[in-house]
Amino acid sequence: MEASVLYNVPHDIPWKVFIPLYFYFTGLSAGSFILSTLSTVFGIKRFKPMALPAAIISFLLLLLAPACLIVDLQQPTRFWHTLVPEYFNPTSALSYGSWLLTLYPIANLVYIYFIYVKNDRVTKIIGTITVPLAIFVHAYTGFAFALVRARAWWHSALMPGFFLTSALLSGIALLVIVAMIMDRLRSEKLELDLYKSLRIMMIGILLTDLFWTGSFWLTLLVSNSDGHASILLALHENFYLWGEIFAGMLVPLAILVYPGTGNNKIWLSFASVLIICGVFLMRYSVVFIGFDIPLS
Amino acid sequence: MKPKRWGMIVDQRRCIGCHSCTVACKSENNVPLGYWRSWVKGLQKGDFPKVGNMFLRRLCNQCDSPPCVQVCPVQATVRRPEDGVVVMYYGKCIGCGMCIAACPYDARFFNPIRKTADKCDFCASRIENGLEPACVEACVSKALIFGDVDDPKSEIFNILAAVPTSVIKPELGTKPKVFYIQADHSLKGRIQFSEDFKEAIIDYRKSIPSPDATYWETRDQK
């Protein structure tokens, strides 16, 4: 039987574009930090020239990220409430997140200092401590969504993993661009092997992201009414289907996989730019498609 | 003393859709224009000449396991252990909006004057002083019954024991303390789609089974 709502009170979406921007910046930061530790902690010498620029980028993005969060608050001057131990809520992902967001930039700064003074032993120790922080600082954002049971689009155990892999993806893509710029500016050229390994990593993570996306689609299509509806609404969103999935994942994947374009630096940077934009759209669609279904 | 557990029954058989509760709530709690702590949802079912107008009183469901309390990063909203009411501490609230996103009943909103999240708290200042919430007092047809759901001597306890009641979205495990008598399934916070998607949605429905997904079946299908 057809029923139509004559009148109802929907409430406004509480967030603005700063929230996906925040996820995007922490993701980029965590991704480039992990890339920076590949040489310093995990000992892959090929990535050595990337260690310092990646760490510095990661730190700069970390200054932007909490700024976005604070700008989005209705009471920006009260942001310090999240750091009062008495107010700590052990069931809230945001509570852990605000502490992580405070500790991680500090650890990051110390790490940058020791790379700068070329003290490899201490760098390794600090880096080892900071890697889990970097992972958690981004995974918590996934948990912030996964723990909301009201919204089927968010309430998924895949969310933290998806956030982490796309963080790594955007971090690598950003570093490809930075490597290109470094190549232009510096006299000593970077090895071609570096680009090759970055490219292979991007292909691997893109495939993982597509796997996550497919898992989301399948589980939501046979989920309860809200979940079913949210995936159908999502597939009608142009920025999701054409932006995130097609332009942000499939096109760069095709460019990277095909050897003729994947080994070409211009195509490689084009794919990286597409990936960077696609990952932002992924954050955007996670946040705002979640609000597509009215709950009242 | 045994802790109280305040709850409310909304008797849909008695509700006439006069919106007295909405008005009383707004004036009691000084809710800004364009925002509502509680409201009455209106709905129309059926085809001419068999048409029904229905109303669903919406307010904070005062869950025993509240998703909004779970996500608050600063404990600005808590379920009071002494009476089971979910209240806001406005001075603590940073306005991050997580509770608004997490509420399965869309009962929360940003108060534009206070600049914090806001919600129905069963008129906390009134019930602390032994009064009933403003909406219950204003209801013209006694469709709202308020009381301690754990007290066997209270009216609400007797009705809950004798009359079939339902809650909104029980599958989420929020354990709401707002009970509805004779609330239609189509009324209870279900999704309404715009016309654009109906074709596509019905196409998908044909090939993929989805439990509980009947609300978009149109009259063309019959």
Side-chain angles (χ1 to χ4, degrees):
Chain A
M1 179 167 293
E2 178 137 27
S4 51
V5 175
L6 295 180
Y7 40 82
N8 195 10
V9 174
H11 288 130
D12 297 339
I13 294 175
W15 296 331
K16 290 183 280 295
V17 73
F18 296 110
I19 295 292
L21 262 182
Y22 156 73
F23 293 133
Y24 180 59
F25 287 145
T26 38
L28 270 178
S29 162
S32 41
F33 182 80
I34 289 167
L35 218 68
S36 147
T37 57
L38 282 181
S39 61
T40 56
V41 177
F42 300 102
I44 307 171
K45 287 281 166 271
R46 199 181 305 147
F47 293 103
K48 186 88 181 173
M50 303 303 312
L52 188 61
I56 289 172
I57 288 170
S58 146
F59 180 74
L60 290 179
L61 287 166
L62 268 181
L63 297 180
L64 272 176
C68 282
L69 267 192
I70 291 170
V71 165
D72 197 68
L73 293 181
Q74 294 283 310
Q75 295 276 2
T77 49
R78 291 189 191 160
F79 74 92
W80 55 273
H81 284 198
T82 51
L83 299 173
V84 178
E86 218 175 289
Y87 294 173
F88 187 82
N89 184 355
T91 58
S92 167
L94 268 62
S95 263
Y96 294 97
S98 36
W99 281 97
L100 286 168
L101 265 179
T102 316
L103 294 176
Y104 171 50
I106 297 169
N108 200 325
L109 200 59
V110 176
Y111 170 83
I112 291 173
Y113 172 76
F114 282 108
I115 299 186
Y116 185 70
V117 298
K118 297 201 167 63
N119 188 337
D120 284 354
R121 208 174 56 83
V122 183
T123 308
K124 187 166 180 175
I125 297 166
I126 303 282
T128 316
I129 300 166
T130 319
V131 166
L133 270 180
I135 290 173
F136 282 131
V137 93
H138 199 61
Y140 107 82
T141 57
F143 282 113
F145 288 122
L147 298 183
V148 174
R149 54 188 146 163
R151 295 186 188 267
W153 185 249
W154 298 348
H155 187 53
S156 163
L158 294 179
M159 215 40 116
F162 194 15
F163 267 66
L164 266 182
T165 50
S166 42
L168 265 178
L169 185 63
S170 61
I172 296 168
L174 184 68
L175 278 212
V176 170
I177 308 273
V178 172
M180 302 274 180
I181 296 170
M182 277 169 64
D183 252 1
R184 277 284 167 85
L185 298 182
R186 295 199 322 178
S187 49
E188 43 181 320
K189 295 290 172 206
L190 293 166
E191 297 170 53
L192 276 174
D193 266 9
L194 180 78
Y195 289 111
K196 201 181 164 200
S197 15
L198 287 176
R199 181 182 140 221
I200 287 167
M201 281 160 76
M202 281 202 279
I203 292 174
I205 300 172
L206 266 175
L207 288 173
T208 320
D209 270 7
L210 281 170
F211 175 71
W212 294 138
T213 310
S215 311
F216 268 117
W217 287 17
L218 281 179
T219 46
L220 284 173
L221 276 171
V222 290
S223 152
N224 60 15
S225 55
D226 284 12
H228 191 70
S230 55
I231 184 67
L232 293 182
L233 287 170
L235 292 177
H236 281 84
E237 299 277 11
N238 283 332
F239 70 84
Y240 179 71
L241 197 65
W242 294 107
E244 180 191 334
I245 307 291
F246 185 74
M249 288 170 153
L250 294 174
V251 171
L253 185 67
I255 293 174
L256 293 174
V257 167
Y258 183 62
T261 48
N263 292 326
N264 181 321
K265 278 191 181 177
I266 294 164
W267 278 106
L268 187 64
S269 45
F270 177 61
S272 304
V273 171
L274 278 182
I275 286 174
I276 291 174
C277 300
V279 171
F280 174 72
L281 280 177
M282 178 256 163
R283 312 304 196 213
Y284 189 87
S285 65
V286 164
V287 174
F288 288 112
I289 291 178
F291 288 103
D292 269 2
I293 293 178
L295 296 179
S296 65
Chain B
M1 211 179 94
K2 203 173 146 224
K4 289 187 185 321
R5 254 176 89 226
W6 294 120
M8 190 183 283
I9 285 179
V10 182
D11 192 341
Q12 297 298 133
R13 300 169 302 187
R14 285 170 170 263
C15 179
I16 58 168
C18 70
H19 298 262
S20 295
C21 48
T22 315
V23 177
C25 174
K26 281 196 74 122
S27 92
E28 169 70 29
N29 297 301
N30 209 1
V31 185
L33 277 181
Y35 297 82
W36 285 266
R37 279 187 175 202
S38 74
W39 65 97
V40 181
K41 182 178 176 179
L43 197 128
Q44 202 166 54
K45 281 207 311 181
D47 294 325
F48 180 82
K50 299 210 185 307
V51 188
N53 264 342
M54 279 145 219
F55 312 100
L56 190 78
R57 173 85 205 290
R58 296 301 304 260
L59 70 166
C60 169
N61 280 249
Q62 311 291 351
C63 313
D64 271 345
S65 164
C68 52
V69 171
Q70 176 213 323
V71 299
C72 180
V74 294
Q75 292 191 26
T77 180
V78 295
R79 181 188 175 274
R80 284 201 300 208
E82 70 267 24
D83 60 1
V85 175
V86 180
V87 292
M88 281 288 308
Y89 293 127
Y90 300 108
K92 264 190 196 176
C93 177
I94 59 172
C96 66
M98 197 65 212
C99 56
I100 300 174
C103 176
Y105 306 105
D106 201 12
R108 288 172 160 269
F109 60 96
F110 273 133
N111 186 320
I113 294 170
R114 217 178 241 140
K115 299 259 180 222
T116 64
D118 204 349
K119 71 184 276 292
C120 155
D121 50 11
F122 272 168
C123 292
S125 53
R126 287 174 67 94
I127 57 175
E128 278 161 13
N129 293 300
L131 295 168
E132 290 189 314
C135 53
V136 177
E137 210 154 84
C139 183
V140 294
S141 54
K142 209 170 181 302
L144 303 176
I145 297 145
F146 178 79
D148 183 359
V149 294
D150 277 352
D151 176 12
K153 289 195 282 297
S154 67
E155 188 191 2
I156 190 168
F157 188 95
N158 288 311
I159 296 174
L160 280 176
V163 182
T165 53
S166 59
V167 294
I168 303 182
K169 298 185 183 173
E171 71 276 9
L172 293 176
T174 51
K175 298 180 210 136
K177 289 201 294 292
V178 174
F179 304 90
Y180 291 84
I181 297 176
Q182 229 181 55
D184 192 285
H185 179 76
S186 58
L187 278 166
K188 295 197 293 175
R190 285 299 161 199
I191 308 152
Q192 291 292 317
F193 280 97
S194 73
E195 293 292 325
D196 312 0
F197 302 134
K198 264 185 184 150
E199 296 292 331
I201 288 163
I202 290 161
D203 276 347
Y204 273 103
R205 273 272 294 147
K206 279 178 192 155
S207 51
I208 294 157
S210 171
D212 199 27
T214 54
Y215 47 84
W216 52 55
E217 282 173 6
T218 58
R219 68 191 91 174
D220 320 319
Q221 276 194 315
K222 274 185 275 179

